Amino acid sequence: MNNDFSQSVFPEEYNVYESDIKSFYPERARNTHKGTYGSANIVAGSVKYIGAAALAAEAALRSGCGYVKLTSCEYVKLALAAKYPQVIFLDEPDLNSQAIAVGMGSGVNKELYNLIERLLSEYTGTMIIDADGLNVIAEYGISLLNAVRKCRVLLTPHVKEFSRLTGINVNEILKRPIESACAFAKEYGVILLLKGADSIITDGKRTSVNTRGTTALAKGGSGDMLSGYICGTAARGLEPFESALCSAYTLGVSAEITSKEKTDYCATAKDILKNLHKAVKLLTK
């Protein structure tokens, strides 16, 4: 079964153009410092999924934010500390960060669910929930999204994760992807990035569809780096909807560049990460 909506024909009003994305990369004033560009906190990784934390953190490092912090278990921190000397390693999430991304490679467990519940009640910035963060919400109860919260929430599911969250059959979602995404975003007061060959970004009122990218992104690690990049762009000042749109588009452009160099077959998430600077340069020239 083809679990994407790449064959859907979306109305032109949802199209995203390069000129729309350029504004998300404003010229940086010379008299600025790292504090000007915000702090991104990645809460990710486990003994089994060290790579998820690495990809998310490295993507955040390339997003333009001032600080990148990684909250993870001791095993992950020891494995990555020497490779990423720019990253600040933490035991607990830093609630003073402008953006927090949680769930990438964390494992499905009640501890993660409790952490997300606590962040939703205490945190005041932008919170991105991905991967196992979505899976624990589906497993232990989506009701926590109905609780009063101070932070802005962005969810980044692929179609199967969205099906688990909503209880709607995958085929039904594929028939009406925009309607399904908008209804969910409106019901829970979140921004939703529904990932596929074409990705839908909506807050229930505004909706955009990103069509940039190649099947080089249809590999493990792509979602981790997308969440990391979103976290970094939100930290440097973009609104959650803008962060999702900017990040999906930029990684799509990077994937296109990488596919031309290495083919869709041979390109990896790491290759796409290494070409992010080429995508940003193209978007800002």
Side-chain angles (χ1 to χ4, degrees):
M1 181 174 59
N2 183 17
N3 287 329
D4 68 57
F5 29 84
S6 58
Q7 303 306 312
S8 301
V9 178
F10 297 108
E12 189 174 343
E13 65 188 274
Y14 299 129
N15 288 355
V16 182
Y17 300 99
E18 195 167 297
S19 57
D20 301 322
I21 305 302
K22 288 182 183 293
S23 64
F24 301 145
Y25 291 103
E27 185 175 350
R28 290 160 73 106
R30 185 173 183 276
N31 187 26
T32 53
H33 52 83
K34 56 184 177 286
T36 307
Y37 300 107
S39 174
N41 187 184
I42 306 297
V43 183
S46 60
V47 173
K48 188 177 179 180
Y49 299 112
I50 300 173
L55 289 168
E58 185 167 344
L61 285 170
R62 296 173 185 269
S63 69
C65 66
Y67 293 93
V68 175
K69 302 169 185 178
L70 176 61
T71 302
S72 194
C73 64
E74 198 67 19
Y75 187 89
V76 172
K77 290 187 288 183
L78 289 173
L80 299 182
K83 187 175 182 180
Y84 297 106
Q86 316 95 314
V87 172
I88 300 167
F89 292 88
L90 305 174
D91 295 322
E92 294 290 333
D94 179 8
L95 300 188
N96 292 316
S97 297
Q98 280 70 34
I100 295 177
V102 59
M104 299 75 74
S106 299
V108 178
N109 52 70
K110 191 63 183 292
E111 290 76 15
L112 178 60
Y113 183 83
N114 292 339
L115 173 62
I116 291 171
E117 189 171 36
R118 178 167 69 85
L119 289 173
L120 287 171
S121 67
E122 297 178 6
Y123 182 52
T124 59
T126 296
M127 184 175 173
I128 300 100
I129 305 176
D130 184 33
D132 286 331
L134 301 169
N135 291 330
V136 297
I137 292 174
E139 176 77 15
Y140 296 107
I142 199 170
S143 59
L144 86 175
L145 292 179
N146 287 320
V148 175
R149 59 177 182 262
K150 301 174 184 177
C151 61
R152 298 167 296 182
V153 177
L154 167 61
L155 307 183
T156 60
H158 55 58
V159 176
K160 280 193 174 181
E161 289 168 338
F162 190 55
S163 176
R164 294 184 198 119
L165 283 172
T166 61
I168 302 172
N169 181 275
V170 166
N171 288 328
E172 291 303 312
I173 295 170
L174 296 178
K175 289 177 185 176
R176 297 166 53 85
I178 287 181
E179 292 85 348
S180 300
C182 288
F184 183 90
K186 189 176 295 185
E187 179 177 357
Y188 292 102
V190 300
I191 298 88
L192 187 78
L193 195 170
L194 182 56
K195 296 181 289 194
D198 299 325
S199 293
I200 297 166
I201 300 102
T202 182
D203 60 5
K205 298 176 182 177
R206 297 173 295 170
T207 301
S208 295
V209 177
N210 172 59
T211 59
R212 300 298 296 263
T214 70
T215 61
L217 287 165
K219 297 179 182 179
S222 295
D224 303 319
M225 63 180 178
L226 175 62
S227 293
Y229 203 82
I230 292 172
C231 190
T233 57
R236 67 176 174 84
L238 271 63
E239 295 296 318
F241 185 95
E242 297 172 341
S243 298
L245 185 56
C246 172
S247 301
Y249 194 97
T250 304
L251 263 70
V253 173
S254 186
E256 291 169 4
I257 293 169
T258 307
S259 292
K260 288 179 181 178
E261 294 176 351
K262 300 198 172 187
T263 77
D264 285 10
Y265 284 96
C266 298
T268 66
K270 185 74 171 179
D271 295 326
I272 295 170
L273 264 179
K274 289 182 176 179
N275 275 336
L276 273 171
H277 70 286
K278 297 178 183 178
V280 175
K281 188 173 183 179
L282 183 68
L283 293 169
T284 56
K285 70 177 182 180

